[in-house]
Amino acid sequence: MKQSRVLNLLAACFASIVPAKAKATMPDDFVRLRDLTTKLVEDMRYARPDNFTGEIVPGYEAPVCWLRKDTAEALAEVSEALDGEGWRLVVYDCYRPKDGVAAFMRWSKEPETGKTKADYYPNINKKDLFKKGYIATNSAHSTGLAVDAGAVAKDGTAIDFGTGYDFLDARSHTQSEAVSETVLGNRLKLMRVFENAGFQNYRREWWHYSFRSPKPGRASNAPVTERR
């Protein structure tokens, strides 16, 4: 038997006994929001192609809202408070794997196709979305401490927030002067309920809230799945 063939056989045998790299698992202190409250709508956009990238985002294997437990418990309080206001909590994005953040960065550097521009960023060049603060290179979502959320009426009727989710434009700034008093009132009502539960709004996005936890967050890359 030639030496090269022996080496190839040895390499094949060694490869067969080396375990494949394990997929990252959800952190132990993460929980599914729906296990804490049923008064919500999970409209997880990055698990579907109807988002600003036009594709299912890497890392999203199921349309499920996972958050760190303290954040999820606070958000359950939000859902209860909104229910008392005649609204139903809608979550668009919760925990976001680091692979998803990296995918946003790659997408921003790709040539413009026009596929989603009119619906999501008509007045901004995609390459400028990071610079203008609409997409972050390091996202609090990856720590399980941030959520993108809105609301509908309890009967399912839409509530006017002035723009759709992830409409990357100055009109989406929470207190934009370009929206009506009714829209501003709806945004401020949403913000009041979130702030009462310990969240802070990101001023450029009426839908984005971060939980003010004394415990620092640690970014994860576990995929979003139905179960841990």
Side-chain angles (χ1 to χ4, degrees):
M1 185 179 290
K2 293 182 179 181
Q3 185 179 13
S4 60
R5 186 178 178 189
V6 172
L7 292 175
N8 288 338
L9 286 172
L10 288 174
C13 291
F14 180 75
S16 68
I17 63 174
V18 175
K21 185 178 180 181
K23 182 185 293 186
T25 57
M26 201 68 69
D28 291 340
D29 57 350
F30 276 36
V31 298
R32 292 184 306 186
L33 179 61
R34 79 164 86 110
D35 290 337
L36 301 183
T37 179
T38 59
K39 296 175 180 178
L40 81 157
V41 177
E42 287 180 296
D43 187 9
M44 305 293 287
R45 298 293 181 86
Y46 300 143
R48 310 195 306 262
D50 55 328
N51 61 70
F52 66 85
T53 72
E55 306 287 344
I56 294 175
V57 176
Y60 288 83
E61 299 177 6
V64 182
C65 176
W66 287 87
L67 291 166
R68 206 173 74 179
K69 186 178 179 182
D70 55 355
T71 307
E73 289 173 342
L75 194 54
E77 292 181 18
V78 170
S79 73
E80 292 292 334
L82 289 176
D83 185 75
E85 301 268 4
W87 286 11
R88 181 61 49 93
L89 175 70
V90 178
V91 288
Y92 300 112
D93 190 37
C94 299
Y95 159 70
R96 179 184 306 163
K98 290 192 291 184
D99 279 349
V101 178
F104 291 168
M105 293 178 68
R106 290 193 302 273
W107 169 85
S108 72
K109 297 175 183 177
E110 294 170 353
E112 180 62 73
T113 66
K115 182 178 180 181
T116 61
K117 183 173 177 59
D119 291 331
Y120 290 97
Y121 53 102
N123 301 312
I124 302 177
N125 292 324
K126 64 188 294 188
K127 65 181 179 63
D128 294 329
L129 290 172
F130 281 95
K131 181 173 65 176
K132 290 185 177 293
Y134 291 107
I135 306 176
T137 54
N138 294 292
S139 175
H141 282 280
S142 298
T143 68
L145 291 171
V147 62
D148 292 341
V152 294
K154 289 171 71 172
D155 64 2
T157 303
I159 294 170
D160 189 1
F161 288 105
T163 72
Y165 168 61
D166 260 357
F167 186 72
L168 309 176
D169 187 86
R171 281 180 288 165
S172 293
H173 295 185
T174 306
Q175 299 192 47
S176 169
E177 296 180 357
V179 300
S180 69
E181 290 187 7
T182 297
V183 166
L184 180 59
N186 289 337
R187 293 179 180 183
L188 294 180
K189 176 178 176 179
L190 186 72
M191 185 167 67
R192 170 177 55 80
V193 174
F194 267 88
E195 287 183 340
N196 287 343
F199 288 87
Q200 182 175 6
N201 175 246
Y202 177 51
R203 64 182 182 84
R204 286 189 173 90
E205 298 172 347
W206 60 260
W207 56 80
H208 180 94
Y209 288 88
S210 296
F211 185 56
R212 296 190 293 260
S213 173
K215 178 183 175 183
R218 183 175 181 180
S220 174
N221 197 36
V224 177
T225 54
E226 179 60 43
R227 292 179 175 81
R228 191 182 301 279

